[in-house]
Amino acid sequence: MTDIYSWILSPEIRDYLRGNYRPTLMERQAMIRGAYKPIEEKLSALQELLGEAETEGDRIFLEKVIGVYQFAVREIRECRRDELYFYRTAVQFGGDSGLFAFPFTYLGGTEAGICRSYQWNSGENESFDCPASCGYTVQKWRRRGAWRPVLSFDLKPINEEYRTTRFHLYDTLMKQTKMTREEWEKSCDPERPHPYLLPFSTGDLVYLDAPLLEQPVYGVLCCWTSDCPDCSGERYILMGYIENERFRPMDLSGHDVAFGGSEYRVVDWLRSVSMEELPAGQEILGEIGAYLRRTNHQDWAAAKYQFMHIFVRSQNIAGYLPYRVQQAALAELVGNYCPNHPNTHFYK
């Protein structure tokens, strides 16, 4: 039987889910497909998972997914006379950006080039070098009259090698598989919330250390389950952190870190941290976390309100910047909680 939990990189999340959550077959195949592992290993795991299918529908679906992976592996590795690879440095982020929902800025210059060999492209050639910790993105182009991309894939550093962990087939190739675009994307949507609870609660201190980040991001969490009629039962998790000496929020409710399409999963890169491990100048996060934990034991809505007041609501006032960290004391950050005030239910 496939040890699905081994496909999660965060040790504490992996161990917690192993003892508290049994994913469905569809959730297991999504865990495998979204993992930070080479696609060849994913193909092998999916073939093993096929033996665990209990219904005809699940078996047919997995056979289609396996067929797509087999097709993609062949197309990624084979470069014909009328084809070439175009590669460039993958995006890496850090610092204060002003990119609205994306709380990072682009770092450094880009490296780009063209090659005709997958072996060179994947780093088997000694001259291949990756200047960014998050690797390369690669497109395979084909000439049928005009040059057009037919697939894209990544090259991520894994165990001192560059390996492909994800791929995208353009319509030209997707039509050659037995699976529709809708089936493929719906069954492993990176923007959907993860269906399982994480071992964290409001006030917990954590750090995020995905490869796309220049350095780890430390923060305090706010977790709740929505009672909004349109999204009742959906779970949310926000991280309040410090960026450029101001408080900021980061949404970790979805499958991916920070924003959909980042290709780095929350369950791989989110870890607990103690107050003593917080970086110099960010000790206030420990005070906020302790205050939110105390408040959450008495009234979760009040704890959520205070988190929003400190990390979110201040940014929605015209002409008003988020709280500055260095001049702030905890008593100055706390707002007046009123259960009947309409803003109390902000960000359901």
Side-chain angles (χ1 to χ4, degrees):
M1 183 176 180
T2 303
D3 180 12
I4 194 62
Y5 304 101
S6 67
W7 289 75
I8 297 173
L9 296 185
S10 172
E12 63 186 299
I13 294 178
R14 178 175 61 237
D15 293 344
Y16 176 80
L17 292 180
R18 189 186 297 275
N20 294 275
Y21 190 82
R22 181 173 174 78
T24 65
L25 183 133
M26 289 298 291
E27 289 169 353
R28 279 179 279 163
Q29 66 88 27
M31 280 184 174
I32 292 171
R33 289 168 58 186
Y36 191 76
K37 290 191 177 185
I39 58 174
E40 293 83 2
E41 292 184 26
K42 295 181 182 183
L43 173 57
S44 178
L46 290 167
Q47 289 170 329
E48 184 178 344
L49 190 64
L50 179 61
E52 301 175 29
E54 297 179 352
T55 68
E56 183 70 6
D58 286 346
R59 184 187 63 79
I60 293 174
F61 172 79
L62 279 177
E63 287 177 343
K64 289 182 178 180
V65 171
I66 290 168
V68 173
Y69 268 85
Q70 291 172 330
F71 179 80
V73 169
R74 291 195 302 269
E75 285 294 329
I76 287 172
R77 289 185 169 274
E78 183 176 1
C79 188
R80 304 171 184 85
R81 293 182 59 184
D82 57 348
E83 296 175 340
L84 57 80
Y85 298 105
F86 172 72
Y87 66 88
R88 58 186 173 182
T89 309
V91 177
Q92 186 177 19
F93 299 93
D96 186 8
S97 68
L99 291 179
F100 305 104
F102 301 170
F104 316 103
T105 48
Y106 177 69
L107 289 179
T110 61
E111 178 178 329
I114 295 174
C115 63
R116 298 293 300 272
S117 164
Y118 176 81
Q119 285 69 31
W120 190 95
N121 203 27
S122 61
E124 295 178 27
N125 184 302
E126 294 181 358
S127 65
F128 186 86
D129 180 48
C130 178
S133 62
C134 47
Y136 278 84
T137 59
V138 185
Q139 284 185 326
K140 181 180 177 180
W141 286 62
R142 176 181 296 171
R143 183 173 59 187
R144 291 288 191 271
W147 285 96
R148 291 186 177 86
V150 291
L151 83 148
S152 60
F153 57 95
D154 65 5
L155 289 174
K156 296 287 178 59
I158 299 178
N159 298 326
E160 299 183 355
E161 294 181 320
Y162 299 108
R163 305 292 299 275
T164 296
T165 70
R166 299 214 182 181
F167 61 85
H168 173 78
L169 301 179
Y170 289 79
D171 289 344
T172 301
L173 295 186
M174 195 69 194
K175 291 176 181 178
Q176 297 180 40
T177 72
K178 296 180 180 180
M179 206 167 197
T180 66
R181 173 81 60 199
E182 183 180 11
E183 285 179 299
W184 175 258
E185 294 179 349
K186 185 178 180 180
S187 59
C188 187
D189 185 353
E191 296 190 21
R192 293 181 63 186
H194 37 71
Y196 24 82
L197 289 171
L198 301 184
F200 305 111
S201 60
T202 297
D204 285 351
L205 298 176
V206 296
Y207 73 97
L208 196 62
D209 194 19
L212 83 166
L213 300 168
E214 180 187 16
Q215 56 189 355
V217 178
Y218 294 80
V220 56
L221 294 182
C222 181
C223 314
W224 74 95
T225 301
S226 175
D227 57 1
C228 176
D230 294 334
C231 50
S232 179
E234 289 190 5
R235 291 185 292 271
Y236 292 88
I237 176 169
L238 298 187
M239 182 177 74
Y241 70 106
I242 294 173
E243 180 186 348
N244 196 27
E245 298 187 351
R246 295 191 182 276
F247 291 116
R248 305 277 189 181
M250 185 188 300
D251 190 351
L252 300 181
S253 305
H255 187 272
D256 281 8
V257 167
F259 52 93
S262 72
E263 299 184 357
Y264 294 98
R265 302 186 303 185
V266 172
V267 295
D268 286 330
W269 309 105
L270 190 65
R271 318 283 174 91
S272 293
V273 68
S274 66
M275 291 183 64
E276 293 73 24
E277 295 174 290
L278 291 172
Q282 299 192 33
E283 295 85 356
I284 187 65
L285 292 175
E287 295 184 50
I288 295 172
Y291 170 74
L292 291 179
R293 288 194 296 274
R294 292 194 302 269
T295 305
N296 192 53
H297 287 314
Q298 301 171 355
D299 186 345
W300 72 267
K304 173 188 170 185
Y305 173 88
Q306 297 296 355
F307 179 94
M308 298 296 176
H309 182 81
I310 295 171
F311 293 102
V312 179
R313 185 169 292 109
S314 61
Q315 301 183 64
N316 294 288
I317 300 175
Y320 189 77
L321 291 171
Y323 289 120
R324 289 196 70 86
V325 176
Q326 301 304 321
Q327 289 87 352
L330 179 62
E332 298 172 323
L333 301 175
V334 174
N336 295 321
Y337 173 65
C338 177
N340 297 321
H341 194 281
N343 283 343
T344 298
H345 306 288
F346 178 81
Y347 203 101
K348 284 203 171 188

